[in-house]
Amino acid sequence: MIINRSHLPWALFVTGATLVLAAIYLEIFRPGLIPHYIPVSDSLGDFPAGHRSVGATPLGIAYGAAAFAIFIFAALLGARKKVRTWRIGRAETWMRAHIWLSILTIPLVLLHCGFRSGSMLTTGLLVLYSVVMASGFYGLALQQFVPRQMTDSLSHEVIYEQIPYLRKKLVESAKELREELRKQESEEGAPKHAVAIGGTSAVVVEDHRAAEGRRALQEMLANSVLPYLEARKGRGLRLGHAQISEELFRILRASVGEEYRGKVDDMRRWCDQRRQMDLQTTMQHWLHYWLLVHVPASLLLLIWTAWHAVTGLFFF
């Protein structure tokens, strides 16, 4: 989702909520640092007997419970995306809430733990939370820049799910050209070098040049074009680089006769399309592969937080 002016109310809400949460925390646990603007009962900051952590106080529990509730809401976004028939708000509203309420968990978590890591298990939970938030911010940053880069870099963007089919069609086109050139070679036979008188010599020379041009195309197809179009990853091949590809096809076009230059242009276009599809695939991977970290880590965070809440309330 692109961050634009429509997110301003959410940003203001999170900023205001953070200031209020911090003011209450400072008022209770760090008295004297700020003026007493917000009247709060001191009972919210009483430490239970045997405990010296902010998270064990009523206010700390409230902060932790609010963060846990946001974790649950954020997890529901995945269900909302899969079940599109749900009429529970607009998808854009859910996404904005997911982003900004998740950001609100940062002050909630920090204030809940009192800016201290605590035990090893609590430290592990904070590390997992950091992984979830870092991967989320990484994905959000990608969504701001990658779609714009795709628009600027891709002259012909295609439907991502059709890329394997379109790549297969490019290979088929190259193989059809290969068969066409072989058929021409078999029909014309091998060119003969003959010393003839008058116009006959010109015809033989003309046939020889056509045959040389055809062989150049066949070599380009066999050695470069087909291996590139058939490759699973073509970035390491020469035609995977735009400048090298342009130079190779420029030389090839200059070395063949007029009758084969259209074929050269076809081969160059196929390679350009394959390169564009590879670039689009890479950018799509950037946009989605971060979820392979974010989603499992978020699920584990939800389970671990629930366990942390139960053990904290009933066993400590």
Side-chain angles (χ1 to χ4, degrees):
M1 169 170 279
I2 302 297
I3 303 298
N4 51 32
R5 287 189 174 184
S6 64
H7 290 255
L8 182 59
W10 283 100
L12 294 175
F13 165 74
V14 170
T15 302
T18 300
L19 293 175
V20 171
L21 295 171
I24 296 174
Y25 174 87
L26 293 175
E27 179 76 17
I28 295 174
F29 297 107
R30 300 291 186 270
L33 294 182
I34 61 171
H36 297 274
Y37 293 143
I38 305 175
V40 179
S41 173
D42 292 340
S43 62
L44 290 175
D46 292 340
F47 290 100
H51 293 268
R52 297 301 298 171
S53 63
V54 174
T57 65
L59 182 62
I61 293 173
Y63 284 169
F68 184 47
I70 293 175
F71 292 164
I72 296 174
F73 169 79
L76 290 176
L77 176 64
R80 172 64 176 79
K81 285 183 176 180
K82 291 182 179 180
V83 187
R84 298 183 181 275
T85 56
W86 284 3
R87 302 296 181 182
I88 309 176
R90 298 175 56 191
E92 293 82 359
T93 303
W94 274 70
M95 195 63 200
R96 292 190 189 100
H98 177 89
I99 293 170
W100 290 102
L101 291 180
S102 296
I103 293 174
L104 183 59
T105 63
I106 297 176
L108 285 170
V109 169
L110 291 176
L111 296 173
H112 166 73
C113 66
F115 300 92
R116 301 174 67 180
S117 58
S119 66
M120 185 177 296
L121 292 177
T122 305
T123 301
L125 182 57
L126 287 174
V127 170
L128 179 60
Y129 171 74
S130 300
V131 171
V132 172
M133 295 303 296
S135 60
F137 281 122
Y138 175 74
L140 184 62
L142 287 178
Q143 292 172 28
Q144 308 311 303
F145 301 107
V146 173
R148 186 181 308 167
Q149 186 176 357
M150 290 177 67
T151 302
D152 296 338
S153 303
L154 300 176
S155 56
H156 295 89
E157 187 175 355
V158 298
I159 299 175
Y160 176 70
E161 289 74 15
Q162 292 185 352
I163 287 180
Y165 169 76
L166 295 175
R167 283 178 51 177
K168 183 179 179 182
K169 295 297 291 183
L170 293 178
V171 173
E172 292 175 357
S173 298
K175 289 182 177 180
E176 288 176 2
L177 176 58
R178 181 181 63 184
E179 294 303 316
E180 179 183 343
L181 295 174
R182 287 177 177 175
K183 184 177 180 181
Q184 290 180 4
E185 185 177 24
S186 62
E187 289 177 352
E188 295 178 5
K192 299 179 180 179
H193 296 273
V195 179
I197 301 174
T200 306
S201 176
V203 173
V204 172
V205 171
E206 185 72 20
D207 290 342
H208 177 68
R209 289 178 178 173
E212 289 293 330
R214 183 173 60 247
R215 279 198 293 271
L217 261 65
Q218 289 173 320
E219 290 178 2
M220 187 69 170
L221 271 172
N223 299 332
S224 298
V225 175
L226 271 171
Y228 174 62
L229 296 180
E230 292 176 329
R232 183 172 176 269
K233 295 182 179 180
R235 186 176 181 84
L237 301 177
R238 292 189 302 171
L239 295 180
H241 301 276
Q243 293 182 347
I244 297 177
S245 176
E246 186 67 23
E247 182 65 16
L248 289 175
F249 282 113
R250 185 188 65 80
I251 295 173
L252 178 62
R253 198 174 192 279
S255 64
V256 301
E258 186 66 32
E259 68 275 19
Y260 288 122
R261 287 176 181 170
K263 307 295 185 185
V264 175
D265 294 338
D266 289 340
M267 290 193 297
R268 180 175 58 186
R269 185 176 65 255
W270 298 335
C271 293
D272 290 344
Q273 290 174 356
R274 166 63 196 269
R275 201 178 308 110
Q276 289 274 301
M277 285 187 281
D278 285 350
L279 179 59
Q280 182 176 346
T281 299
T282 299
M283 291 182 175
Q284 287 288 345
H285 289 172
W286 290 349
L287 279 175
H288 296 98
Y289 274 15
W290 64 275
L291 291 171
L292 297 178
V293 174
H294 185 71
V295 173
S298 298
L299 180 59
L300 181 58
L301 176 65
L302 189 63
I303 297 172
W304 196 339
T305 303
W307 174 82
H308 169 73
V310 171
T311 55
L313 288 174
F314 297 102
F315 297 101
F316 293 98

